Amino acid sequence: MSQTTRRDVLKSLGTAGVLGGGAAMAGCASVTAQAQTPTTPFRVAATTIPIVGSSQVFPVRRIYCIGRNYAAHAREMGSDPTREPPFFFQKPTDAIQLVPPGQTVDHPYPPLTKNYHYEIELVAALQSGGRNIAPADALKHVFGYAVGLDMTRRDLQRAMGDEKKPWEIGKSFDKSAPIGPIHRVEDTGHFTRGKIELYVNGKVKQSADLQQMIWNVAEQISKLSEAFELMAGDIIYSGTPENVGPVVRGDVMVGKIEKLPDITVKVV
Ligand code: MN
């Protein structure tokens, strides 16, 4: 049966026919096969990120974040920055908040916290993946890069850590992942060095160089792929340098990574 005919048959069956199956579809294998794809009672928005210089958008599958990937930040968080294996956590995909360059995006101060922190981070976006990827092969999986903020309810993160409970409430809340558009590797090259900075109300708060990362992007991909099968659409927040700190309502944060446009976020 042709595609058009099949659609016509389904249309004539209507929703009841598709959901109910039964006599109307008996003897028509191709209709039955198609009807097995269930419909949904409501729509859930897919998360996508604009791609600079393209009419396409990047579909986000998972958000991975690496913890304590700059030595001075590891020290300020109270841990030993020797080269232990990197550790990871995730944010839900819909934690993404898009921040178009040239705009100031309002970012709601989240509930439950009294110590809300910025973390400026380079984000790598994958076009493919796999398991047990060697560092030497890792960068070919990168589609592009973006400027991101790993916003953190530090008081809740610390409290949960102290109690040996999961971090989710401190890290994985609504809009906790502001991000600029994705720049394709063919336009920017890979990011192994270059300034990474965060300003609040015009004053520099975080300032470091990407080459200070303990685990570079290729190594992050390799290590992550030992624990998870990476796939196209995964994005990786690569960790923040030292001098994380709090923002309050009214503060304007500007995130900067050399060779990428700034992102500007106002806490409201
Ligand atoms: Mn972080």
Side-chain angles (χ1 to χ4, degrees):
M1 196 184 288
S2 78
Q3 195 62 39
T4 312
T5 317
R6 200 153 47 218
R7 261 202 305 276
D8 291 347
V9 170
L10 281 170
K11 208 170 169 184
S12 70
L13 287 172
T15 309
V18 171
L19 293 176
M25 284 193 261
C28 187
S30 59
V31 169
T32 308
Q34 182 144 349
Q36 283 169 351
T37 302
T39 59
T40 57
F42 50 84
R43 286 175 180 274
V44 174
T47 299
T48 59
I49 302 173
I51 299 166
V52 174
S54 171
S55 59
Q56 294 188 307
V57 291
F58 183 93
V60 181
R61 174 180 175 263
R62 287 187 184 173
I63 305 173
Y64 291 105
C65 303
I66 177 168
R68 294 172 200 162
N69 196 30
Y70 291 76
H73 174 60
R75 277 192 292 271
E76 77 182 350
M77 296 305 290
S79 68
D80 177 0
T82 51
R83 209 164 186 259
E84 290 170 4
F87 73 91
F88 305 97
F89 59 93
Q90 292 185 42
K91 291 180 187 257
T93 304
D94 71 346
I96 290 286
Q97 182 182 29
L98 297 175
V99 187
Q103 293 184 28
T104 299
V105 169
D106 284 349
H107 175 84
Y109 194 95
L112 302 182
T113 184
K114 292 188 169 63
N115 193 18
Y116 190 41
H117 277 204
Y118 46 78
E119 296 190 357
I120 179 72
E121 308 200 2
L122 174 70
V123 182
L126 303 190
Q127 62 188 348
S128 54
R131 293 182 193 275
N132 299 315
I133 298 165
D137 296 330
L139 291 183
K140 73 174 186 226
H141 297 289
V142 178
F143 176 84
Y145 293 92
V147 180
L149 292 171
D150 166 15
M151 295 306 294
T152 303
R153 296 193 281 206
R154 190 73 69 201
D155 43 358
L156 301 184
Q157 180 200 17
R158 288 215 174 101
M160 296 304 273
D162 289 347
E163 295 176 29
K164 295 188 163 50
K165 287 176 179 167
W167 271 12
E168 260 89 348
I169 200 166
K171 283 289 194 182
S172 308
F173 52 92
D174 302 340
K175 297 193 174 173
S176 60
I179 193 169
I182 291 174
H183 295 255
R184 293 173 294 195
V185 169
E186 55 257 47
D187 297 333
T188 62
H190 291 286
F191 286 74
T192 53
R193 61 184 63 234
K195 260 194 175 154
I196 177 168
E197 293 184 310
L198 184 109
Y199 286 70
V200 178
N201 303 332
K203 288 184 185 153
V204 65
K205 297 290 184 179
Q206 293 185 276
S207 182
D209 194 287
L210 295 172
Q211 62 183 326
Q212 294 172 285
M213 285 193 283
I214 298 172
W215 300 89
N216 63 31
V217 171
E219 291 167 330
Q220 292 167 38
I221 291 168
S222 177
K223 285 289 178 188
L224 256 177
S225 74
E226 294 174 6
F228 307 96
E229 180 176 4
L230 296 178
M231 293 193 187
D234 292 345
I235 67 172
I236 304 169
Y237 277 66
S238 60
T240 197
E242 65 276 19
N243 297 322
V244 297
V247 281
V248 296
R249 287 193 178 88
D251 284 348
V252 176
M253 300 181 282
V254 178
K256 293 172 176 281
I257 292 178
E258 202 174 321
K259 294 201 291 175
L260 295 177
D262 298 349
I263 61 168
T264 304
V265 174
K266 182 177 185 181
V267 183
V268 296

